[in-house]
Amino acid sequence: DTILLNIGGSTLSLTSTTGTDNQTICAGAAMTPIQYTFGGGATNATVTGLATGITATTTGNVVTISGIPAASLNYTITTVGGCGIITLNGAAVVNPNATLVLTSAAGTDN
């Protein structure tokens, strides 16, 4: 007797669908939503390292990271399910807003 055992599966995938993995934004501004698509046997994805004001939501096989970050962040997204894992990283740098300082020249105050 011969037993043939075929073990196969899809190759896990995790890709950025918007190309905005790394961003620089001004304080108080919303980041451009970042989207990742997972597949190939992955059933979900987790996101860690998000700053206050940022959320990650999953619809179908797309994870969207969005919001108004309170501080700079370095996030990690990791596939869940399937055989093995894929992990990708990204960052959003929050720059402080410019402060305008007005001074008057001597003798010109009225």
Side-chain angles (χ1 to χ4, degrees), residues 26-80:
C26 292
M31 66 189 308
T32 300
I34 301 167
Q35 292 185 322
Y36 285 90
T37 302
F38 57 88
T43 57
N44 204 347
T46 60
V47 182
T48 57
L50 299 179
T52 300
I54 299 297
T55 59
T57 55
T58 302
T59 303
N61 69 332
V62 177
V63 177
T64 303
I65 302 168
S66 62
I68 301 172
S72 295
L73 60 121
N74 292 299
Y75 67 88
T76 300
I77 183 166
T78 304
T79 57
V80 175

Side-chain angles (χ1 to χ4, degrees), residues 14 76-79 85-89:
L14 180 63
T76 300
I77 183 166
T78 304
T79 57
I85 62 170
I86 296 176
T87 299
L88 296 175
N89 300 300

